[in-house]
Amino acid sequence: MSARETSEEGAPAHPAAGGIGARVSAAWGTARQRTSALAAVTRKGARVVWDSPAPMRLRTLTIAARHAPWSGAAVIAGGAVITTLFILRLDRIVFIPNHGSIYLPVIAFIAYYWDLWLGAIAALIDLVCIYFFFAPPTVGMKPLNTTSFAQLVTNGAVIAFTLAVVQLAVSRRELAEREASRFASLNSVGLALAGELNEERLLRLIAQTACDLTGAGFAAFTLRPLDAMGHPLTPSRGDLFHLAAVVGVTADEERRLQHMALGGEGLLAPIFRYGKSVRVADAAAAYEREPATSGVPGSARARREAARRLAQDYARGAAQSADLRSLGAPRGHPVVRSFLGAPLLDRQGEVRGGLLLGHHEPDRFTAEDERLLLGLAAQAATALENARLYRAAQSQAQELDVIFESIADGVSLVDARGQTIRENGAARTLRDALAATGADAAPMPAGHAGQPPVLTVAQVAGETREYLVSTTRVNDGAPAPADGATPDGAVTAVTADLGVEQPSAVVVWHDVTEAQQLTAERRARAETDARRALLQLVIDELPSGVYLVYGPEARLALANRTAFDLWGAVWPVGQPMSEFLREQGTRVLRPDGQPMPLEELATLRAAQSGEAVRHHQELIARPDGVSLPILFNAVTISPDLLRGLGPGDDTASAIGEGYTVLVVLQDMTPLKEAERIKDEFIAMAAHELRTPMAAVRGYAEMLERGARAGQGAALEEWQREALDSIDVATIRLVDLTNDLLDVSRLQADRMELRIEPHDLVALVKRVARRYQVTSGKHRISVHAAQEYVVARVDAPRMEQVVGNLLSNAIKYSPEGGEVVVSVEADEAREVARASVRDSGVGIPEQEQSQVFARFSRASNARELGIGGTGLGLYLCRELLAHMDGRIWFESQVGNGTSVYFEVPLVSEGDEEAG
């Protein structure tokens, strides 16, 4: 027989029995479902009735009445009267076997909602009512018989049982309410821990919750000082802690406690030193107990030693909290009898602070309160650590945000779709610039192999910039690129701190404009240095001295060895010329040996005025006693040529109002010696020529006078022309001989002049009339700004100067034309200025520097066959120099030449002396 065919009792399965069981089970299930549905409907209906307005008002009135001082007595009296009247009325309608059962709800109601003693009073009143109204005989005083006594005892027993049950319900209710209150308080603390980040408010909330849950009179939080990283700054001693929060005291008491030193021994030592909680029933008794020490009984030191040993024993588990000693409270501290304290421990088990509770009555704290306080202290320690970490994280996030925005390179964080998640200011500026130029402003996708691309962006900050674009993936697990991009883990941490979603790539726009410009500048500097070195090598090999100066102070930029040799010292680059001369003790003299003012030096004249100074002779008197005649030529050049050649890269901008001047100086000592020899030869030759020239001219004149006087044969026409030619040639030779003699006298410094006041206007007009008769193709005009211009000159030599200038103007204007002579007085400068302007062939620019040299003539004059010795302008310059004057010219090929000269005017002192 199979198991399926056997019933649970082991009897054979009958088909009818199986059908009945199934029907019973189905019926039972249906009944359970209907019962459950009915119960649900009943509960729902009861809930609807309970929450209806009438019961709600009744409950509200009851709750409000409970807090009235007279509510208990009123309910007892009213309940007794109403219930008694109700029973009397009901007793006439139906038979009530036990009248006391109807009083039970009223008694239970009073005992549950008001107080047990009020319920007991209500029970006594109800028993009296039962005795007076319902015990036979009814309504009246009667002696107690067995029946009535049994009835009263039974009712009293039932009422006592009911009161006991009600009291149990009240205890359960109070326990539930207390637990609910604790749960609500702990829940509020938990919510505060989760959302409150202000340390003071958080500690006050936890302290207030501890007071509420334990019934403490006051609560205080003490904290140990920490650094920014959360490391303790002081040892774990209570006297080094500070009061962080306190509740349960007045504002004045709180201010006193803020300035009151915390104790480090006694009841606080186990908390602060060893991290153990302490619960003492009576701190005053713990203070009054005399310690057993070897010191003087009752002394403060003995108390501290005993308290310290007991705290150590308590921390090791060798003593109870009742054995701890109190060292008392400071003056002004709230009275503490019951004491409960718990340490705040961090994750490493270090004491972070303490949560201290006190009450002015003894034995108010229980072991449950101690466990609760330990939990609150642990939560407080965790909350403080979280708050510190949050502040640190927030500060770090702010720092990272500031760093991110202050990065000079553009940084963009993009997601997998290529959308920008976040970017700094530099990246935004680049995107705006790209958008403005119509280019694609989105960053380049990640994963480009090889060298990162360089992108040129126009009109960023008003110029074209170049950016090296590097892209680093974050989520693909690829290794960090070789160009030093941020690793994936670091990027993830940084973006998390910045509060952005996880990026897919980081795009960095590195500005390489300055780097490339610096590279180009370095390359240009290298090329400039190479050119400078080559230039220095070239000019060092020149036989003449060469140097380059800039600015109005003539600061040195470049010089060759020959220049240093001529000056007799090394001129430092960048040093002004006047400072160099002063430091070296070098003097600059005129050719006649007289001191030359600094403003007349060729170098300073060119650097300050920009004029070209050519063939300017100066005498350098060195400190070693050597005096060298030097010929200076100074011309201005473009300041751009100085870039890279001066002491700094910005030499050209330091020039200011001055000029850049190239100076060539040549030692004239060998030339002077050669000229001396040549001058001696010229002087000797001139003297030797004067005698035969005089004889030739004398014999020619004698022949011509003899022919005119009839002495001898008459001369033929060709003979007279020959005599005229001999006379003209003789005159020319005499003039040439006189010029050569003047040159030799000037070179030998034997020229004697007689300087005296003379009217320059009359002198010029006189010479102009004389030269006007020599040429019919030229018209000489004289223009004078004043009627008289009296200058200090040697009249014959000044006529020679003006005659040489007019002779040149006529000679070098072969086509004729006007020759204009101007004379004026410059009273401000006390000089007389004259000029001779022609419209002749002019002087080529490249030959103008040699015009005042001896025997120098322009090449175009030689090509045109214009004769001359090249001594006229040289004699003019030297003669004017001996009269304290100077001469210069302006000329352009094909447009003629203008020659200017200046001589001193006669001053008032000279006139009075004359």
Side-chain angles (χ1 to χ4, degrees), residues 676-700:
R676 186 186 63 79
I677 297 174
K678 181 177 63 175
D679 292 339
E680 290 178 356
F681 170 75
I682 291 175
M684 181 183 63
H687 280 289
E688 293 297 328
L689 285 174
R690 287 174 68 92
T691 301
M693 289 301 102
V696 170
R697 186 177 181 184
Y699 283 121

Side-chain angles (χ1 to χ4, degrees), residues 275-454:
K276 298 292 184 179
S277 63
V278 174
R279 178 168 58 91
V280 177
D282 192 351
Y287 175 72
E288 293 172 357
R289 285 196 295 269
E290 187 72 24
T293 64
S294 58
V296 177
S299 67
R301 183 174 182 181
R303 285 181 176 275
R304 285 195 298 273
E305 291 295 332
R308 185 178 295 113
R309 285 199 304 272
L310 288 172
Q312 292 177 354
D313 294 341
Y314 177 75
R316 294 194 301 265
Q320 301 296 324
S321 61
D323 300 329
L324 295 174
R325 298 289 187 268
S326 173
L327 297 180
R331 180 175 297 178
H333 194 281
V335 177
V336 179
R337 297 291 297 277
S338 298
F339 175 76
L340 178 59
L344 275 66
L345 303 178
D346 59 15
R347 298 178 182 178
Q348 288 75 30
E350 291 284 339
V351 177
R352 175 75 170 83
L355 175 54
L356 312 177
L357 304 181
H359 201 281
H360 64 278
E361 296 179 359
D363 201 14
R364 292 298 300 265
F365 301 123
T366 64
E368 180 66 24
D369 295 333
E370 185 175 1
R371 288 191 295 271
L372 176 64
L373 193 65
L374 285 172
L376 287 175
Q379 290 183 350
T382 303
L384 290 175
E385 182 67 15
N386 291 340
R388 187 190 67 80
L389 292 177
Y390 176 80
R391 289 195 301 271
Q394 191 177 35
S395 176
Q396 185 180 15
Q398 293 175 352
E399 292 176 359
L400 289 175
D401 190 58
V402 172
I403 294 173
F404 182 73
E405 286 296 330
S406 62
I407 295 176
D409 295 337
V411 181
S412 301
L413 309 178
V414 298
D415 56 17
R417 297 173 297 174
Q419 300 295 325
T420 300
I421 300 173
R422 183 168 182 180
E423 59 187 0
N424 61 355
R428 284 191 295 272
T429 303
L430 287 170
R431 288 167 60 86
D432 294 342
L434 289 173
T437 57
D440 186 8
M444 297 186 62
H448 285 285
Q451 184 70 22
V454 176

Side-chain angles (χ1 to χ4, degrees), residues 348-569:
Q348 288 75 30
E350 291 284 339
V351 177
R352 175 75 170 83
L355 175 54
L356 312 177
L357 304 181
H359 201 281
H360 64 278
E361 296 179 359
D363 201 14
R364 292 298 300 265
F365 301 123
T366 64
E368 180 66 24
D369 295 333
E370 185 175 1
R371 288 191 295 271
L372 176 64
L373 193 65
L374 285 172
L376 287 175
Q379 290 183 350
T382 303
L384 290 175
E385 182 67 15
N386 291 340
R388 187 190 67 80
L389 292 177
Y390 176 80
R391 289 195 301 271
Q394 191 177 35
S395 176
Q396 185 180 15
Q398 293 175 352
E399 292 176 359
L400 289 175
D401 190 58
V402 172
I403 294 173
F404 182 73
E405 286 296 330
S406 62
I407 295 176
D409 295 337
V411 181
S412 301
L413 309 178
V414 298
D415 56 17
R417 297 173 297 174
Q419 300 295 325
T420 300
I421 300 173
R422 183 168 182 180
E423 59 187 0
N424 61 355
R428 284 191 295 272
T429 303
L430 287 170
R431 288 167 60 86
D432 294 342
L434 289 173
T437 57
D440 186 8
M444 297 186 62
H448 285 285
Q451 184 70 22
V454 176
L455 182 64
T456 301
V457 181
Q459 300 302 322
V460 175
E463 59 181 347
T464 301
R465 314 283 299 179
E466 293 184 349
Y467 294 88
L468 184 69
V469 184
S470 60
T471 307
T472 305
R473 289 191 180 275
V474 177
N475 296 327
D476 58 359
D483 59 356
T486 308
D488 298 346
V491 172
T492 302
V494 170
T495 54
D497 288 335
L498 292 176
V500 299
E501 61 178 287
Q502 179 64 33
S504 176
V506 178
V507 181
V508 179
W509 309 67
H510 181 59
D511 191 348
V512 296
T513 307
E514 283 76 12
Q516 294 194 359
Q517 290 178 352
L518 182 59
T519 302
E521 290 176 0
R522 289 177 177 174
R523 187 182 302 112
R525 174 58 62 86
E527 294 175 356
T528 302
D529 291 343
R531 290 196 301 270
R532 183 177 184 222
L534 178 60
L535 177 61
Q536 188 72 49
L537 179 63
V538 170
I539 65 174
D540 281 342
E541 299 301 323
L542 293 177
S544 299
V546 178
Y547 59 82
L548 207 62
V549 295
Y550 63 92
E553 296 179 335
R555 296 178 179 271
L556 182 68
L558 185 69
N560 64 350
R561 287 194 298 267
T562 305
F564 293 149
D565 293 340
L566 294 177
W567 285 111

Side-chain angles (χ1 to χ4, degrees), residues 746-764:
L746 290 171
Q747 293 297 319
D749 199 16
R750 294 195 301 270
M751 177 68 71
E752 296 181 359
L753 300 180
R754 180 169 180 164
I755 307 298
E756 57 186 3
H758 199 86
D759 183 10
L760 193 59
V761 175
L763 185 148
V764 169

